């Protein structure tokens, strides 16, 4: 079974579960295999414990032997729940690679998006998994950037509501977003603009633990503000159901969000991910999930989108 088959099968309301991924990878995936020494084989690359990287981890992680991440699992092909109930995608693959390099297990726990940042602040999780690196978020977390990110307007095939690049074309429509995201505030602000222009307000629909194409296909909303990675995937898989209206907007990087008090962990993540860029394994992972165009050439922290 190819990755794209996994992705197409992933559209369903995701159960709130926890999934433990270890550095040994997924035995059900033919492209991933574990060795007795704890090394990981992933898309033609071998990940083994790197003592220099391991020494960068804070002592509490070394003592625990596990890094705990939080994910909403609702952004294929970045992170989503497959037919087997497993949390998969290019981000879990990046995390598995880091775990093998650090010589620790990784535990990705599924939560609603709006619970991720508070969970890191409280110490429940070591890191978020798909947080946009926006200046407002840097007030709370340090962001270890790992890919470009953006949004697009996903609509029903044929674009029956005539949504365009002009965001005011969405005035009066039912617009779907994930609860707690930057998009939720952007649509709220857009609705206020609509009213200032004498147009009807937007009917904002905020969802938890749902893949946004699901309510769109069910005609619960007219348009969803979807990530570029998910939007392009679903249109490629189901062109008779979905379409992209207008042009995508690249806004920021996606990042692992780490508490600002844990600079050692932040720097360890940066070093491990940079080593994956340097040896080609990072690009191989993104290419496997058809996300190579979102790759970045070096791992930065708290960065605005660069040219």
């Amino acid at each position: 079974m190819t990755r794209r088959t996994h992705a197409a099968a992933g559209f369903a309301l995701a159960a709130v579960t926890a999934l433990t991924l270890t550095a040994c990878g997924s035995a059900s995936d033919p492209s991933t295999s574990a060795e007795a020494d704890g090394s990981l084989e992933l898309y033609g690359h071998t990940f083994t414990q790197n003592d220099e990287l391991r020494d960068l981890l804070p002592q509490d992680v070394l003592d625990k032997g596990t890094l705990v991440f939080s994910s909403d699992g609702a952004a294929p092909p970045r992170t989503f729940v497959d037919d087997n109930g497993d949390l998969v995608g290019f981000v879990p693959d990046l995390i598995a690679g880091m775990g093998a390099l650090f010589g620790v297990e990784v535990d990705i726990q599924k939560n609603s998006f709006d619970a991720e940042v508070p969970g890191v602040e409280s110490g429940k999780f070591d890191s978020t998994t798909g947080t946009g690196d926006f200046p407002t978020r840097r007030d709370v977390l340090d962001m270890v950037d790992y890919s470009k990110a953006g949004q697009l307007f996903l609509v029903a095939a044929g674009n029956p509501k005539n949504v365009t690049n002009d965001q005011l074309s969405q005035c009066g429509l039912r617009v779907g977003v994930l609860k707690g995201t930057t998009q939720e505030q952007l649509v709220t602000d857009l609705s206020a603009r609509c009213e200032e222009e004498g147009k009807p307000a937007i009917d904002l629909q905020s969802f938890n633990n749902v893949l946004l194409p699901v309510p769109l296909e069910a005609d619960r909303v007219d348009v969803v503000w979807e990530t570029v990675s998910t939007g392009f995937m679903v249109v490629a898989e189901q062109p008779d159901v979905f379409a992209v209206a207008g042009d995508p907007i690249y806004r920021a990087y996606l990042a692992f969000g780490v508490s600002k008090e844990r600079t050692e962990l932040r720097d360890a993540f940066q070093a491990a991910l940079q080593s994956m860029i340097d040896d080609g394994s990072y690009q191989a992972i993104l290419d496997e999930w058809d996300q190579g165009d979102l790759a970045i050439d070096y791992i930065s922290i708290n960065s605005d989108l660069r040219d």
Side-chain angles (χ1 to χ4, degrees):
M1 180 180 289
T2 67
R3 285 298 194 187
R4 294 188 64 82
T5 302
H6 277 301
F11 287 100
L13 293 177
V16 180
T17 57
L19 170 70
T20 299
L21 300 174
T22 68
C24 64
S26 169
S28 63
D29 188 338
S31 58
T32 308
S33 62
E35 304 296 335
D37 61 0
S39 64
L40 172 69
E41 294 289 338
L42 190 61
Y43 315 133
H45 291 265
T46 302
F47 298 82
T48 58
Q49 180 175 314
N50 181 310
D51 290 339
E52 290 185 4
L53 292 174
R54 181 179 173 85
D55 288 344
L56 297 176
L57 289 175
Q59 191 60 47
D60 67 298
V61 174
L62 294 172
D63 292 342
K64 184 171 54 177
T66 304
L67 282 166
V68 182
F69 296 81
S70 178
S71 173
D72 64 1
R78 188 172 77 227
T79 311
F80 66 101
V81 180
D82 70 6
D83 285 346
N84 299 319
D86 295 327
L87 205 58
V88 298
F90 80 78
V91 175
D93 282 348
L94 290 175
I95 290 171
M98 285 197 297
L101 291 172
F102 289 138
V104 299
E105 293 186 352
V106 291
D107 176 13
I108 307 177
Q109 298 186 7
K110 192 176 182 307
N111 298 275
S112 62
F113 183 88
D114 59 339
E116 291 192 36
V117 173
V120 171
E121 289 183 283
S122 69
K124 181 178 181 181
F125 311 118
D126 294 305
S127 177
T128 66
T129 55
T131 310
D133 186 353
F134 297 104
T136 53
R137 295 229 173 93
R138 298 172 201 159
D139 292 338
V140 180
L141 303 178
D142 279 335
M143 314 302 291
V144 184
D145 306 321
Y146 63 77
S147 78
K148 290 184 288 186
Q151 69 189 41
L152 50 72
F153 306 133
L154 191 67
V155 298
N159 193 10
K161 299 296 183 178
N162 298 314
V163 175
T164 68
N165 281 332
D166 181 0
Q167 295 183 15
L168 292 176
S169 66
Q170 298 180 42
C171 296
L173 300 184
R174 301 168 297 168
V175 178
V177 298
L178 285 178
K179 185 175 178 60
T181 60
T182 301
Q183 286 79 7
E184 186 176 38
Q185 185 60 54
L186 290 172
V187 176
T188 299
D189 295 342
L190 175 59
S191 184
R193 282 182 54 206
C194 290
E195 294 186 281
E196 291 170 0
E197 296 285 336
K199 299 176 182 293
I202 288 173
D203 180 4
L204 174 61
Q205 303 287 324
S206 299
F207 296 94
N208 263 333
N209 297 318
V210 63
L211 300 172
L212 287 176
V214 174
L216 178 60
E217 185 175 8
D219 195 30
R220 294 177 59 188
V221 293
D222 302 307
V223 55
V224 295
W225 289 36
E226 185 57 276
T227 64
V228 290
S229 56
T230 300
F232 285 138
M233 187 198 74
V234 299
V235 171
E237 295 288 350
Q238 297 177 277
D240 57 333
V241 177
F242 302 109
V244 174
D247 300 318
I249 303 168
Y250 290 94
R251 291 189 176 274
Y253 294 112
L254 283 177
F256 294 111
V258 180
S259 169
K260 296 187 78 69
E261 298 177 356
R262 306 191 71 190
T263 55
E264 285 182 291
L265 184 61
R266 177 200 68 191
D267 294 346
F269 279 13
Q270 181 186 34
L273 288 165
Q274 185 62 52
S275 76
M276 293 165 67
I277 288 180
D278 295 342
D279 68 17
S281 58
Y282 163 89
Q283 189 69 51
I285 289 171
L286 268 65
D287 286 345
E288 174 68 18
W289 292 94
D290 296 328
Q291 301 296 295
D293 289 346
L294 300 182
I296 57 180
D297 54 1
Y298 64 91
I299 302 299
S300 56
I301 294 172
N302 298 332
S303 295
D304 294 324
L305 197 64
R306 45 187 192 262
D307 294 331

